[in-house]
Amino acid sequence: ADLAALGNLEFVARAVVEGFLIGLHRSPHRGFSVEFAENRPYVPGDDIRYVDWRRYARSDRYYIKQYEEETNLRAWLAVDVSGSMAWSSDDSRIVQKLDYARLACAALSYLLLRQGDSVGLMCFDDQIRTRIAPRAGRRQLTTLLGALQQLGGGGETDAGSAMRDVSVRLRRRGLVVLVSDLLVDISETIKSLHYLRHRGHEVLVFHLMDPGERDLPQAGDALFFDPEDESEVRTDSAALRP
């Protein structure tokens, strides 16, 4: 709540990220870079600049030095902006889940862009509401923070179709971060996440829960209202808590 009150997303993101150890991601592919990986036998056509002459002197055979390739990461931040995200059990003390998602994504964007990665943003409810292609650089941070600042919650949720949209746009292995309260079609969402993993992408899920959702206060007879489909149900919350 204190961080949200500061308002300036860029300042907050920097404050959250400070102190983290920042390092480059390593590619599973082999290239010619700084850090040695292994030797392999020479084949005609290989560049003789990478012949391991010391090993040749010992074995009288030609070997090529291979190195780990340093590469940047392409990341998509997929943010649920459905009606249930724009809710707090206590507006005076607890930020909305959407506000927390905004702060988390700002910090992640700052961290990833600072270490040279490319970051994109997708905001969805039952449709894609915002889509910003992954790019690197300072200007991209300004673009992402501006979009996050404008987020508003409304509508129902279809996380599965959003994840399928991301999978089409990630043409090489990358990172997908889903930020949601997960009030979604569970089987469809899990199927989509499994598909992303099958394609070789790293998948992280941030499950946001309001303390009221986690603990369900004992209010006795209560009328529960769904902010997405506007349905209502009257029940005894104390009986439901277990």
Side-chain angles (χ1 to χ4, degrees):
D2 291 338
L3 284 172
L6 294 175
N8 187 321
L9 273 183
E10 184 170 1
F11 174 79
V12 171
R14 186 182 299 112
V16 172
V17 168
E18 283 301 324
F20 274 77
L21 179 64
I22 298 173
L24 292 175
H25 301 278
R26 300 296 176 184
S27 168
H29 307 293
R30 294 288 182 258
F32 296 107
S33 184
V34 179
E35 296 203 9
F36 175 78
E38 61 186 12
N39 285 121
R40 68 166 173 79
Y42 173 88
V43 294
D46 282 336
D47 193 327
I48 62 170
R49 290 179 298 170
Y50 301 111
V51 171
D52 189 338
W53 295 109
R54 291 187 178 182
R55 186 160 184 180
Y56 169 77
R58 294 195 303 269
S59 65
D60 202 33
R61 294 174 182 270
Y62 292 106
Y63 290 89
I64 295 294
K65 293 180 180 179
Q66 290 187 296
Y67 298 83
E68 281 190 336
E69 182 182 31
E70 293 184 348
T71 182
N72 67 334
L73 182 79
R74 290 175 64 85
W76 275 100
L77 306 181
V79 186
D80 181 354
V81 295
S82 60
S84 63
M85 289 286 287
W87 180 81
S88 169
S89 60
D90 186 344
D91 290 326
S92 64
R93 296 188 306 108
I94 301 169
V95 299
Q96 294 180 358
K97 290 176 282 185
L98 188 56
D99 289 329
Y100 199 96
R102 184 183 288 113
L103 293 174
C105 288
L108 282 170
S109 299
Y110 184 83
L111 175 64
L112 291 168
L113 289 168
R114 183 173 171 180
Q115 64 186 22
D117 297 325
S118 300
V119 184
L121 177 68
M122 175 182 291
C123 304
F124 67 92
D125 42 38
D126 55 349
Q127 303 177 45
I128 307 300
R129 299 298 179 181
T130 303
R131 186 188 292 112
I132 299 173
R135 290 187 178 86
R138 179 74 181 183
R139 181 175 297 179
Q140 180 73 347
L141 179 62
T142 303
T143 301
L144 294 174
L145 295 181
L148 290 169
Q149 195 76 56
Q150 300 301 317
L151 292 186
E156 299 185 28
T157 320
D158 186 359
S161 63
M163 294 300 96
R164 289 193 294 273
D165 188 277
V166 169
S167 69
V168 170
R169 297 173 191 282
L170 269 177
R171 302 191 182 280
R172 60 187 178 92
R173 283 181 288 187
L175 170 68
V176 179
V177 181
L178 172 61
V179 184
S180 172
D181 57 7
L182 296 184
L183 298 177
V184 296
D185 183 324
I186 295 297
S187 61
E188 183 68 20
T189 303
I190 290 177
K191 181 179 178 182
S192 299
L193 295 175
H194 280 172
Y195 178 72
L196 284 166
R197 291 285 293 167
H198 176 72
R199 293 281 300 272
H201 304 302
E202 186 72 22
V203 178
L204 299 178
V205 179
F206 281 74
H207 184 191
L208 303 186
M209 294 186 72
D210 185 278
E213 293 173 317
R214 189 183 63 237
D215 302 328
L216 187 60
Q218 297 192 46
D221 289 336
L223 180 66
F224 288 88
F225 172 77
D226 189 318
E228 295 188 7
D229 63 16
E230 299 185 355
S231 61
E232 297 179 354
V233 58
R234 186 178 298 278
T235 187
D236 180 0
S237 63
L240 283 176
R241 288 188 85 247

